[in-house]
Amino acid sequence: MSGRLLPVVCGTVLVAALVAVGLLTTPQTRADSITLYQEGIALTPAGELTTVPAGEHHAYLPGSRVLAPDPDADEDTVAAAEHLAEETRTWLAAGSLPGADTQFADLGHDALLDLHALLRGGGGAIAGASTAWRYVWPRDAAFVAAALSATGHHRDAFEILDYLQTVQAPDGSFHARYTVTEQLPPDDRGTQTDGTGWGLWALAQAIDAVETNRERDALLTRFAPLIERSTAFLLAQVSDRSPLPAPSSDYWEHRETQVTLGTAAPVLAGLEAAARLHDLRGDTGNAARSTAAAAALREAITAEFGTFGYGRYPGRSLQDAAASFVLPPFVAEPLPGAATAWRASIETMTRPGGGLAPGAAWPETQYSWTPQTALYAWTAASLGDRTRAIEMLDWLDNHRTSTGAIPEKVGPDGAPAAVAPLAWTCALILLTLVTLEQNP
């Protein structure tokens, strides 16, 4: 538990207090049985994204996710497949392979191949190849853009950010997810505040990775609408009267009546990114406003969440994987007590299979989630905790499917489960490997 119970009081007041605390701190157990949806993804010789059914094995052409043609395939099919595979190999060579000289060379290679193949699903970086995942979540896409910029695949990163700029509402908000072709929300999940914070954070990450001032200035002009709309939206989320943003769904995809750390922290990351981007643009007014708003929000998060160990909700609540979001690389400086709370949260979120859940109160008590495990690996690497980062990467490496894909979940028996691969996890693994290389 991240917090301590209130001092003892008597009678019915004590009962009511204990019930209230229990509702906030006790995970609601749910037994689930989740199968593996597919072994991985593949590209047909025609360049179409498809899936490899669970339990089946299909060979790829070397250095690609292109299916090897059948022995009796015609010459045109064989030539098309080899041409597509060569395109993939050229793409890989144009960037870097994180972890190339380590035990995780194959893990990084497969993560890059899967991201490249998922980009064939359309602009904006779909989350996965299964039907329910063939959408663009701004949150997931932002991390993919950050990863591809870190591996030197800048064009792809900025095309993803172009997509986000296109679908963003005039007020700077984002819906939970979008269709690829129509670029519209497919359902009524509504807007999710963290998407704007992540989009601006990813843009700053990508612009920081370019090599020349000329490129940087061109990108600041190209993405001026995204910068300006996002800044206005994030500034509107905080004020002197209400320094914390309003309740919103976050990466849990649950409707919320209280603000979560998973919303407040990305708003902080976005405001810090806004200050940096406006400073680069020479817009001192917006840079100063963003800096001031970020400072106020930082204090509010520290007071409302940090006092009780950075749980999911203000006050006493079980910890959440969003504890990573109040640490580098998401914010410039760790919030007070955040590193200690983050380390403590690992035990509360560890699941039987060895990985982490989205939070200690996550209702699925048996399954580990690879995006949160990879998120903690990147945070560990950013904090200089190489041992923990490598342990988590090793766990991820050892729980892949037969094609090398990283599944969304891992069961209590260690078996891969749900969709495979998941773009968000691939991106986080690459970012972790890059950080380990930069901080040997």
Side-chain angles (χ1 to χ4, degrees):
M1 292 252 193
S2 60
R4 295 187 298 271
L5 292 179
L6 296 172
V8 176
V9 293
C10 60
T12 57
V13 176
L14 171 60
V15 174
L18 291 175
V19 169
V21 171
L23 290 173
L24 287 175
T25 60
T26 304
Q28 303 299 304
T29 302
R30 188 178 78 202
D32 290 292
S33 180
I34 304 169
T35 61
L36 179 65
Y37 302 160
Q38 63 272 144
E39 297 292 337
I41 56 177
L43 297 176
T44 68
E48 296 174 344
L49 179 65
T50 187
T51 60
V52 178
E56 295 187 14
H57 177 75
H58 297 274
Y60 297 124
L61 290 179
S64 78
R65 283 291 186 252
V66 181
L67 288 172
D70 294 331
D72 57 351
D74 59 64
E75 291 183 2
D76 288 344
T77 298
V78 173
E82 184 51 49
H83 176 73
L84 190 58
E86 184 59 29
E87 282 186 353
T88 302
R89 292 189 283 267
T90 300
W91 180 85
L92 284 173
S96 63
L97 176 59
D101 299 324
T102 73
Q103 70 200 76
F104 301 117
D106 187 59
L107 177 66
H109 182 257
D110 283 348
L112 264 177
L113 286 181
D114 281 334
L115 283 187
H116 184 249
L118 286 170
L119 291 176
R120 303 289 295 207
I126 58 174
S130 293
T131 301
W133 280 262
R134 282 201 182 217
Y135 299 103
V136 178
W137 274 263
R139 175 189 314 113
D140 301 45
F143 278 83
V144 174
L148 292 177
S149 66
T151 60
H153 297 95
H154 302 292
R155 179 177 177 179
D156 298 279
F158 288 118
E159 286 180 354
I160 292 168
L161 292 164
D162 276 328
Y163 179 96
L164 294 183
Q165 181 165 255
T166 298
V167 300
Q168 187 179 36
D171 69 353
S173 64
F174 284 106
H175 278 269
R177 57 183 185 165
Y178 296 86
T179 58
V180 172
T181 303
E182 299 83 5
Q183 300 183 346
L184 295 171
D187 50 37
D188 62 353
R189 295 188 185 194
T191 59
Q192 295 185 357
T193 299
D194 67 329
T196 304
W198 289 133
L200 209 50
W201 168 83
L203 177 61
Q205 294 279 313
I207 286 180
D208 283 345
V210 300
E211 296 181 353
T212 68
N213 290 340
R214 183 177 180 180
E215 289 177 286
R216 183 201 69 192
D217 293 342
L219 290 166
L220 290 169
T221 299
R222 174 175 167 181
F223 290 102
L226 180 64
I227 295 170
E228 292 166 5
R229 293 191 301 241
S230 298
T231 301
F233 178 82
L234 294 176
L235 287 173
Q237 298 304 304
V238 296
S239 66
D240 292 339
R241 202 172 162 190
S242 178
L244 290 174
S248 170
S249 295
D250 60 14
Y251 75 99
W252 279 35
E253 299 283 349
H254 291 179
R255 294 190 183 278
E256 300 289 350
T257 58
Q258 298 182 79
V259 64
T260 65
L261 188 60
T263 291
V267 171
L268 175 59
L271 285 169
E272 289 192 353
R276 189 160 74 256
L277 291 168
H278 284 296
D279 185 58
L280 291 172
R281 298 175 77 209
D283 185 345
T284 56
N286 269 318
R289 281 187 285 273
S290 300
T291 298
L297 178 55
R298 183 184 179 91
E299 290 184 6
I301 293 174
T302 301
E304 298 295 330
F305 292 91
T307 302
F308 304 98
Y310 293 99
R312 178 163 176 78
Y313 302 104
R316 289 178 172 82
S317 62
L318 285 177
Q319 289 178 302
D320 185 274
S324 278
F325 301 157
V326 289
L327 292 165
F330 304 107
V331 293
E333 296 291 336
L335 272 65
T340 299
W342 174 81
R343 292 186 185 95
S345 71
I346 294 172
E347 182 178 357
T348 71
M349 296 189 302
T350 299
R351 292 299 186 250
L356 304 180
W362 184 255
E364 208 176 60
T365 59
Q366 297 300 302
Y367 284 80
S368 304
W369 285 65
T370 63
Q372 280 66 51
T373 307
L375 170 66
Y376 268 49
W378 190 24
T379 305
S382 300
L383 293 175
D385 189 346
R386 292 182 63 86
T387 299
R388 195 185 301 275
I390 289 171
E391 287 175 352
M392 290 180 168
L393 284 177
D394 191 56
W395 182 87
L396 291 160
D397 195 17
N398 289 327
H399 290 85
R400 295 192 281 158
T401 70
S402 65
T403 69
I406 305 153
E408 180 186 47
K409 303 178 188 181
V410 173
D413 58 353
V419 66
L422 188 71
W424 193 11
T425 306
C426 291
L428 285 162
I429 284 172
L430 292 169
L431 289 163
T432 303
L433 291 171
V434 168
T435 300
L436 288 172
E437 287 182 344
Q438 292 172 344
N439 303 294

